[in-house]
Amino acid sequence: MNLSANARRATLAFMLIAIMLVAVGVIQSWAVMLTIFNLCLISSIMALGVNIQWGYAGLFNVGTMGFAALGGVAAMLVSQEPVIAAWHAGGWKLLLSFVSLVLVIFLVAILYGKIKKGPLRQLAITGALVLGYFLFRAFFDPASDAIEAIDPAVAGYLGGMGLPILLSWIAGGVLAAGAAWIIGRIALGLRSDYLAIATLGISEIIIAFIKNEDWLTRGVKNVTGLKRPVPYEIDLQKADWFINLVESLNHGTLSQFGADDRSAMLRQMVIEASSIFVKLCYAGLFIAVLAAILTLSVKALDSPWGRMMRAIRDNEVAADAMGKNVTRRHLQVFVLGSAVVGLAGAMLTTLDGQLTPGTYQPLRFTFLIWVMVIVGGSGNNLGAVLGGFLIWLVWIEAEPVGVWLIDNLTAGLGETSPVRLHLMETAQHMRVLVMGLVLLTVMRFHPEGILPEVVKREEGD
Amino acid sequence: MDILNALVLLFNYIIVPSVAYGSQLALGALGVTLVYGTLRFANFAHGELMAFGAMITILCTWWLQSLGVSIAPLPTALLALGPAIAVTVAIVLITDRTIYRFYREKRSAPAIYIIASIGVMFVMNGLIRFIIGPSDRAFGDGQRYIIKAQDFRDMTGLSEGLGIKTSQGITVLVTLFLVAALFWFLQKTRTGKSMRAYADNRDLALLSGINPERVVMYSWIITAALATIAGALYGLDKSFKPFTYFQLLLPLFAAAIVGGIGKPVGAIVGGFVIAFSEVTITYPYKKFLTYLMPEGMQPSGLLQLLSTDYKFAVSFIILVIVLMVTPTGIMKGKTV
Amino acid sequence: MSYLSGTNMRGGYGGADVLHGCEISVDKGEVAVILGPNGAGKSTAMKAIFGMLELREGNVTLGGKDITKLSPQRRVREGMAMVPQTNNIFTTMTVEENLEMGAFLRRDDIRETIARVYNLFPILAEKRHQDAGELSGGQRQQVAVGRALMTQPDVLMLDEPTAGVSPIVMNELFDRILEVKKTGIAILIVEQNARQALDIADIGYVLVNGENKFTDNGQALLQNPEVRHSFLGG
């Protein structure tokens, strides 16, 4: 039984991460440490989502970025106030264009059913599609132009539903799940490398859509100032209870100063504390979500459902022969995993307070998550969380550490040496190289990751 | 009605760019398909490999330029290709020895290879950023145009100009030469045939005494050479920007799969299919139709089927459609 | 001692053994046929002789030399050739290229051997520039046998060469195999079509549960009432 060995290893690894985080807090600052910690939490949730797909079922999804972005869009759509003028200007026409789209799809379906297979059917369907396309564009183009013309500096889009942003976390999961369901229906029959290419393609399309459909997302103009589920720093700094709290916490330090210095000091402390307090609030929310998802994941993996999933992963043919509906199970797991990623995506956008479509890069949002899962231990939920923490820490800290390293290593070259200047300039890119080496090394020498999958022997030997 | 001007417009904005881009895609997709045929995995590091090859070409070009070497009117980069290919081949062979061979011996699943190739992608991406940095690099020299649009107008008296860049001309000629050479190699030489045999039926190839390690080595060498050339030509044509190469991955895969994965002819056909679709679907036809329509009936909108930002979506949609109609691709590639 | 012989072969695919002390041997200019019910270990025995299965016990000799530890590729060099049951041709290559690939190990002039194969299978000469994948089932088997003969082997092994081909094609294929035998090659066949195979067999091995149940010459086995009853359908 490797259960206890794993438990020991997990404790050790998390202790190591805690030490690293504390080191960041002491050397850099506690605010930086909390920023990293919050992103570690979100990364862990994304890694859990990928682990559900890859670790449980062996599904090779390289479209994490797309699902995370959908979550981000959901955060914006749920929380932003609707732009009434934009709705008046083009909202209804826009709806009409979508109605026409649906009608065309119906028409195609009817034509497909009514006409016998042959050139006539192809012609009819092509005709209907071309006609439908122009019909759609006839409604859509003026509508989106009209919407984008409304107050373009701050709006130029339809806005959202004006609901609390916490709801968007669920909405993000649902939106990603819906997209995953459609994608899964089409792509899940493919073998693993085609599925990888398909998901990669779809995620790129989702990003292209979010970047370019300004009427919906403002595109690369970004939507800033999203609502928050936690208090604003500026409000905290004015709140008496908060000032009192900070004062009482720092009583010892403050009492050493005179009255004038003291109030300036307190002011400074309150500003710092407000930022930390806000980050702690986020951390609390994120920890709650992570704990819930982790618990559910662990329970699911230990349930008969999880055992069946792994049986399918390890021998698809046999599972198929035993009457398990493999494609259906795969669809389930694909939708579930994507929903978790979508949820994490919504959380990330909430934390950022803005939707910035230009920042979705596959390296960061897809491949880095994969490194987390593989390094953490595919098939092991706690491993995914561990991978999320560790890899995010390394990803963030590789830059300052790299700069520091190169600064010291090349100090002998002289301040203006071109080699030194070039290296200093590119040191920030070290982390990509480091990630690749970490991934390759783990795969080669320890392919089961830091926390290997726990294989329970039913026979009890 | 002005058919001549409309035709020139079509040539200048659709046909010439598509042929050049299609050639670059074809060369890249050939590499994807060769690796797929012999190693049986989709190489996610291929875009980065092209960028890497292009980067070495640029470094060699700068070095040659600093020595005052010039083959004007041709770009110096052509000379630099030789050493660049040598370096890239060496890197690829080292990668195979240190990484892929291990999984080959273990007969790992394709997904494991892909994850390994993602690791390689990270490393190469990091190396590129580290060595040359993420910014734009121009390295074309020599004569920029074969025909300048203005000269064409003066010559023909048409209002539309047709410009052909030297890089476009070189791309097409180099591609023609390379494709001919590759097909001669695959069809006529013993090694080439053994590569086809290995791609066709690995077990039977082993029974026939074909050495798999040699086949794999040749595949990598050819792939690296093609990727270097494709990457350099793409950079010469559109300026070298390391991050755009990752985005080529999707059109490359689409080209290889649409044509029929594992089939060299398919990669070439696929490359042009994808290039032409991308360009024709994202081109605004307003001016074109203005020439063809009678006076006073000019179209009002841009008449663009899809915004250029969706050009990568186009390759993916073509991929999906082709796979739905013929699951093995146009040239009947491997059924897997 | 026969030219090729596997003695006291024991082994299997991980876990339990499939072969339990099985004996197979064949001499040059002889046809040996391995028969038996499904799961008796016929193909396994052939794989063991060819080195595609590691033996736990027993050994295989070729021309008096112990080859038990050699890989299949090495055995090809030693003069053994194998026609697998399925996927036994390069479908995307022409007939002639298939033959060339069969002779990949040879560095000498192979034209004469190709001519001999075309002589043996005239239809292949006609279709030499066609992709092998476009041929009919019987013709594909001819390509497969032709490819194996290209190394000029001393031993030719065929794994169910007539599976899925029509009776006429089957008879023709067996005729060709007899022709091949006349060139002095040792031939070992695993077969389902027992009656026809025994017709051309010099020696037959009936395996049951990985053991030799009957061993005799072809005609004798055909006459043997027990064999007739159990394996030849009365």
Side-chain angles (χ1 to χ4, degrees), chain A residues 175 205 335 359 364 431 434 445:
Chain A
L175 190 62
I205 290 179
V335 167
T359 55
R364 149 85 178 84
R431 61 183 189 183
V434 170
F445 299 106

Side-chain angles (χ1 to χ4, degrees), chain C residues 10-25:
Chain C
R10 289 170 194 278
Y13 312 93
D17 283 358
V18 179
L19 302 176
H20 302 281
C22 161
E23 313 263 343
I24 308 280
S25 63

Side-chain angles (χ1 to χ4, degrees), chain A residues 36 98 107 127 136 148 171 219 392 439:
Chain A
I36 295 177
F98 291 125
L107 183 67
F136 171 74
E148 284 162 24
W392 186 258
L439 177 62

Side-chain angles (χ1 to χ4, degrees), chain A residues 8-290:
Chain A
R8 235 178 302 129
R9 207 183 266 188
T11 321
L12 206 69
F14 277 108
M15 265 163 61
L16 194 75
I17 286 170
I19 292 170
M20 281 160 76
L21 280 170
V22 170
V24 169
V26 172
I27 297 171
Q28 289 176 288
S29 81
W30 292 101
V32 170
M33 178 281 218
L34 277 176
T35 308
I36 295 177
F37 181 68
N38 279 335
L39 283 167
C40 280
L41 290 168
I42 292 177
S43 301
S44 297
I45 297 176
M46 283 192 192
L48 272 174
V50 172
N51 185 46
I52 289 174
Q53 295 172 341
W54 168 249
Y56 292 19
L59 289 181
F60 201 25
N61 175 8
V62 193
T64 321
M65 172 180 71
F67 296 109
L70 283 179
V73 171
M76 187 278 284
L77 286 181
V78 166
S79 68
Q80 283 300 94
E81 297 300 330
V83 180
I84 306 294
W87 276 100
H88 282 306
W92 308 115
K93 246 190 190 155
L94 200 70
L95 283 184
L96 215 59
S97 74
F98 291 125
V99 170
S100 69
L101 201 64
V102 172
L103 284 180
V104 170
I105 292 170
F106 262 112
L107 183 67
V108 168
I110 290 169
L111 287 175
Y112 190 86
K114 293 274 180 208
I115 309 176
K116 280 203 192 85
K117 195 178 169 176
L120 185 67
R121 182 162 88 180
Q122 278 179 358
L123 201 71
I125 288 180
T126 314
L129 283 176
V130 170
L131 217 71
Y133 174 79
F134 285 107
L135 188 71
F136 171 74
R137 288 288 297 261
F139 287 116
F140 177 82
D141 286 8
S144 66
D145 286 349
I147 292 167
E148 284 162 24
I150 302 289
D151 206 0
V154 289
Y157 74 130
L158 288 174
M161 292 183 277
L163 299 170
I165 200 161
L166 271 183
L167 282 179
S168 79
W169 295 7
I170 297 164
V174 172
L175 190 62
W181 188 80
I182 297 172
I183 296 161
R185 286 297 300 251
I186 301 167
L188 279 182
L190 302 173
R191 53 172 267 173
S192 59
D193 34 8
Y194 278 23
L195 180 64
I197 294 168
T199 46
L200 178 76
I202 287 160
S203 72
E204 291 285 347
I205 290 179
I206 291 174
I207 299 303
F209 182 84
I210 295 172
K211 270 191 194 163
N212 293 297
E213 299 309 313
D214 289 15
W215 56 271
L216 185 69
T217 62
R218 293 196 84 222
V220 286
K221 287 179 288 186
N222 303 340
V223 180
T224 52
L226 296 186
K227 283 183 194 163
R228 273 189 177 181
V230 298
Y232 283 85
E233 287 88 346
I234 205 89
D235 296 334
L236 285 174
Q237 288 157 23
K238 285 183 215 142
D240 289 335
W241 67 268
F242 188 72
I243 297 172
N244 291 337
L245 181 72
V246 174
E247 196 169 11
S248 66
L249 279 176
N250 293 291
H251 192 72
T253 329
L254 285 169
S255 60
Q256 297 166 3
F257 293 90
D260 284 352
D261 288 344
R262 201 167 153 170
S263 85
M265 195 84 176
L266 180 61
R267 183 90 208 111
Q268 193 55 40
M269 280 173 168
V270 167
I271 289 173
E272 272 168 31
S274 68
S275 141
I276 288 181
F277 182 80
V278 167
K279 291 193 166 89
L280 280 175
C281 289
Y282 274 122
L285 284 170
F286 294 165
I287 288 174
V289 175
L290 176 61

Side-chain angles (χ1 to χ4, degrees), chain B residues 234-254:
Chain B
Y234 186 82
L236 213 50
D237 198 9
K238 305 204 162 97
S239 104
F240 174 81
K241 210 188 229 169
F243 299 154
T244 54
Y245 285 84
F246 174 80
Q247 297 202 298
L248 278 183
L249 204 54
L250 204 55
L252 285 174
F253 281 149

Side-chain angles (χ1 to χ4, degrees), chain C:
Chain C
M1 186 94 170
S2 298
Y3 187 68
L4 170 71
S5 69
T7 42
N8 189 31
M9 296 189 292
R10 289 170 194 278
Y13 312 93
D17 283 358
V18 179
L19 302 176
H20 302 281
C22 161
E23 313 263 343
I24 308 280
S25 63
V26 57
D27 246 319
K28 282 188 171 183
E30 242 185 27
V31 173
V33 174
I34 307 176
L35 303 168
N38 278 335
K42 303 188 296 287
S43 287
T44 311
M46 181 172 268
K47 281 185 180 142
I49 291 175
F50 195 61
M52 292 159 86
L53 174 86
E54 207 169 314
L55 285 178
R56 203 170 50 72
E57 218 177 282
N59 57 350
V60 183
T61 60
L62 181 74
K65 186 178 160 194
D66 191 336
I67 57 166
T68 317
K69 296 286 170 220
L70 296 188
S71 69
Q73 284 80 358
R74 281 287 312 185
R75 293 182 206 215
V76 172
R77 284 177 195 272
E78 297 293 325
M80 293 175 77
M82 161 92 160
V83 180
Q85 186 182 346
T86 52
N87 296 324
N88 50 22
I89 54 167
F90 299 111
T91 51
T92 59
M93 304 180 86
T94 66
V95 170
E96 185 137 321
E97 284 172 336
N98 265 276
L99 299 184
E100 284 172 26
M101 285 302 108
F104 189 81
L105 284 173
R106 289 174 55 187
R107 284 294 187 171
D108 54 335
D109 193 355
I110 61 169
R111 273 175 298 187
E112 196 202 332
T113 322
I114 290 186
R116 290 238 302 278
V117 170
Y118 285 155
N119 221 351
L120 195 62
F121 304 114
I123 187 75
L124 296 189
E126 229 172 85
K127 311 219 164 193
R128 66 207 300 170
H129 296 305
Q130 221 168 316
D131 273 357
E134 295 169 4
L135 304 183
S136 71
Q139 291 163 354
R140 281 161 169 248
Q141 290 299 43
Q142 297 184 6
V143 175
V145 175
R147 185 206 62 84
L149 288 174
M150 286 304 295
T151 47
Q152 297 179 309
D154 300 315
V155 178
L156 177 65
M157 307 176 50
L158 302 128
D159 193 357
E160 304 203 12
T162 64
V165 304
S166 71
I168 300 167
V169 173
M170 180 168 75
N171 285 336
E172 198 192 322
L173 198 64
F174 280 139
D175 283 348
R176 301 288 167 231
I177 288 170
L178 284 178
E179 300 247 341
V180 174
K181 171 181 119 169
K182 282 189 201 138
T183 62
I185 295 180
I187 298 176
L188 184 62
I189 311 177
V190 166
E191 253 308 335
Q192 289 278 359
N193 296 305
R195 193 185 299 270
Q196 290 84 344
L198 284 178
D199 256 341
I200 65 160
D202 296 298
I203 185 163
Y205 298 93
V206 178
L207 299 191
V208 174
N209 290 330
E211 278 178 291
N212 296 54
K213 183 96 183 238
F214 304 100
T215 306
D216 213 329
N217 71 54
Q219 290 310 313
L221 283 177
L222 276 174
Q223 304 306 324
N224 183 325
E226 207 177 331
V227 173
R228 285 177 72 106
H229 179 73
S230 318
F231 305 109
L232 303 174

Side-chain angles (χ1 to χ4, degrees), chain B:
Chain B
M1 286 282 267
D2 192 346
I3 293 173
L4 269 184
N5 269 321
L7 269 181
V8 171
L9 191 74
L10 214 59
F11 258 91
N12 196 30
Y13 287 103
I14 294 186
I15 297 181
V16 171
S18 306
V19 168
Y21 178 44
S23 306
Q24 290 147 10
L25 278 188
L27 292 184
L30 272 173
V32 171
T33 233
L34 276 177
V35 170
Y36 193 92
T38 48
L39 286 104
R40 308 283 151 98
F41 76 99
N43 183 10
F44 270 61
H46 199 80
E48 264 11 272
L49 181 63
M50 282 169 66
F52 191 88
M55 175 187 75
I56 304 287
T57 313
I58 293 172
L59 295 179
C60 290
T61 307
W62 287 346
W63 177 65
L64 286 171
Q65 283 169 342
S66 74
L67 293 179
V69 179
S70 162
I71 48 168
L74 295 175
T76 317
L78 275 187
L79 268 188
L81 275 178
I85 289 173
V87 173
T88 315
V89 164
I91 293 284
V92 161
L93 289 181
I94 291 170
T95 313
D96 185 65
R97 276 293 132 80
T98 50
I99 294 155
Y100 296 121
R101 188 161 73 174
F102 174 72
Y103 301 104
R104 203 153 56 238
E105 278 162 7
K106 279 191 12 182
R107 289 184 162 253
S108 298
I112 301 298
Y113 276 98
I114 296 183
I115 299 174
S117 80
I118 289 174
V120 173
M121 182 191 84
F122 264 104
V123 171
M124 282 203 167
N125 188 302
L127 280 177
I128 292 165
R129 290 164 184 242
F130 203 63
I131 296 174
I132 202 164
S135 45
D136 249 359
R137 303 282 176 181
F139 62 109
D141 54 3
Q143 195 183 321
R144 265 188 73 64
Y145 285 94
I146 299 175
I147 312 174
K148 276 192 188 141
Q150 191 54 47
D151 294 345
F152 183 87
R153 277 191 213 110
D154 294 345
M155 240 158 43
T156 56
L158 292 171
S159 56
E160 278 304 322
L162 174 64
I164 299 179
K165 284 193 275 184
T166 315
S167 58
Q168 290 170 328
I170 291 175
T171 297
V172 173
L173 286 180
V174 168
T175 306
L176 277 176
F177 169 75
L178 285 177
V179 167
L182 179 66
F183 277 84
W184 172 82
F185 174 76
L186 289 176
Q187 297 295 331
K188 298 292 175 205
T189 65
R190 201 172 109 93
T191 311
K193 283 179 190 174
S194 73
M195 285 172 65
R196 281 165 56 215
Y198 186 77
D200 181 317
N201 189 334
R202 198 171 359 181
D203 292 330
L204 196 61
L206 291 178
L207 280 188
S208 305
I210 291 169
N211 179 354
E213 287 303 311
R214 259 178 79 87
V215 167
V216 165
M217 188 181 80
Y218 275 104
S219 303
W220 278 122
I221 291 176
I222 297 171
T223 298
L226 291 175
T228 305
I229 297 170
L233 290 175
Y234 186 82
L236 213 50
D237 198 9
K238 305 204 162 97
S239 104
F240 174 81
K241 210 188 229 169
F243 299 154
T244 54
Y245 285 84
F246 174 80
Q247 297 202 298
L248 278 183
L249 204 54
L250 204 55
L252 285 174
F253 281 149
I257 295 172
V258 161
I261 190 105
K263 281 255 170 185
V265 191
I268 294 159
V269 174
F272 286 103
V273 167
I274 296 296
F276 268 90
S277 324
E278 268 189 23
V279 178
T280 45
I281 291 178
T282 54
Y283 178 71
Y285 288 91
K286 176 178 182 174
K287 211 171 172 196
F288 176 69
L289 284 179
T290 311
Y291 278 122
L292 291 183
M293 293 229 182
E295 288 291 327
M297 271 191 62
Q298 274 84 4
S300 56
L302 279 174
L303 292 177
Q304 190 179 19
L305 287 171
L306 267 181
S307 133
T308 22
D309 304 295
Y310 285 116
K311 82 175 180 231
F312 294 115
V314 173
S315 47
F316 185 73
I317 292 163
I318 304 279
L319 173 66
V320 171
I321 292 174
V322 169
L323 284 186
M324 273 160 67
V325 179
T326 60
T328 52
I330 298 171
M331 292 294 155
K332 303 271 171 280
K334 284 238 152 312
T335 39
V336 275

